[in-house]
Amino acid sequence: MTRVEERERVIVRFAGDSGDGMQLAGGRFTDATAALGNDLATLPDFPAEIRAPAGTLAGVSAFQIHFAARDILTPGDKPTTLVAMNPAALRSNIEELEPGGTLIVNEEAFTVRNLQKAGYRANPLEDDSLSRYQLKRIPMLSLTQRAVEGIEGVGSRDAQRARNLFALGLVCWLYDRPTDVVEEWIEAKFEARVAVMEANRAAFRAGYAFGDTTEQIDVRYHVAPATDIAPGTYRTVNGTTATALGLIAASQRSGLQLMLSSYPITPASELLHELARHAKRGVRTVQAEDEIAAAGIALGAAFGGALGVTATSGPGMDLKAETIGLAAALELPLIVIDVQRAGPSTGMPTKTEQSDLLMALHGRHGESPLPILAPATPGDCFYTVYEAAGIAIRYRTPVIVLSDLFLANSSEPWRIPQSADLPPIDPDFATLPPEDGQFLPYTRNPDGARPWAVPGTPGLQHRIGGLEKQDGTGNISYDASNHATMTAARQAKVDGIEISPLEVDADEGAEILVIGWGSSYGVMGAAARRIRIAGRKVATAHLRHLNPLPPNTGEVLRNFRRVVCVETNTGQLANVLRARYLVDVESYGKVEGLPLFAAEVEEEILERLR
């Protein structure tokens, strides 16, 4: 008889060939887990190639989910269960599986040819190399073929494609996940192809039934719903979806037409796809012919009185630089979203990194300071882009949002906010000409912002362009003192942006501060939890605003004997903080194309506490 074992938290990883549907299986498992009320975080990982060589290490695609009966902060470090669909998936992931963890393999994929492609000299299922794991050898293809027998219009190839649904059904049984969520998705996804729908449903049910009837698996795990999550209505979102919703909310609250212009580039393309689905809500999207055109179209939309947005990744920012500089000179609202990826150049399009900070700070011609924000979690992407829109509109400036691939693709439960609770955004357009009839487009209000006059507004005609403006009139000027005045005015405007003080989570008497930005938030918090459980004292601080920095940043840094900056680059923020505040900020950087893990941050901090 199968026994049920209670677990507080579990980490499951699906791994297989890039054509095995691991992202799909992981996504559906995530939906089922969210429906059950667990807190969760996910980590998709897939090759850059559209179809990498089948059966090779380079072609392995994986999806990891961490779910728990309490609040969690990261997708987890080492999986407790690994589903390996072929030898390459096993070899790529086995070293990360916890000793004693559950290893579920599709044994029929361990052919001589597949073993050779994965670099195995012998079949690991036949020796003792996997003895430290709970190995479950399952003939998934045969069982799937048996499940779909008799379904009209379904052949062996369809059965092969449905193996991932068999694996998903088995893991849903293993962790007591609801089946109706997955079956409803299958019916909706394949409603136009009845035979495919029936095959996938049969495969899913067969996997669940196999777990329920086999004697191979003698333990089942139960993870209770999370009870320490704030009450409210939740949905599962990844960073891309949250970003899209944040932009739509900003558009609605400001009354401005949302217009995203983008050129396809991994991983930012998904934002274009997501917003394109909302045309009925008034969202306008343009797939431009290149990155330069995309930035120009978005800036043109801003000039015309819309909420202009352009999105890109890594090398696309290089190409947008001149237009962003133009937007800084024109002093128009523009949101630039950089979903960072590993670089330089083409780099690793499907791997994450935080290596565009210095480019965002300095990567333009001349003195052209811009506000820069970075979201902390997938759900926080909503609030970060909403705030970015508010800053751009209020201060008449381009704003750069530094997301990254990890945030864009990862998922978490997100509490849906009430629209009325979001801060209002007032475009405050210039509408009436001054009494003397002379409209001065570069006069400034108390925030340092210039008027935003929509073209065609009677009496508000004015010049626009990239050459230096004369203070007040906006006329072309080559005067030396005027150039200094305008440079200082643009800098003062950015420096004067209202930003909340940096918050510090510190144990009394803590001597070490761990500081980070963007997606380092979760691992910093998780590592701090572990350090405190071990009886040590630590402080953490996380930066959303990277330019300007919070007003108390220097004071915070100087309050601790040691400061360690954690980021997925070679120390870009650490260098900025050292230069700005003359504090000996130590750097812990990671540039492996992978996100930071809590265990490695914990180890690093404990080493420095010795």
Side-chain angles (χ1 to χ4, degrees), residues 480-493:
S481 61
N482 178 78
H483 178 58
T485 296
M486 294 298 287
T487 299
R490 289 188 288 262
Q491 181 68 61
K493 178 179 66 173

Side-chain angles (χ1 to χ4, degrees), residues 327-345:
L330 299 180
E331 299 188 52
L332 284 172
L334 175 68
I335 302 173
V336 182
I337 298 172
D338 178 10
V339 187
Q340 300 167 95
R341 71 191 207 190
S345 186

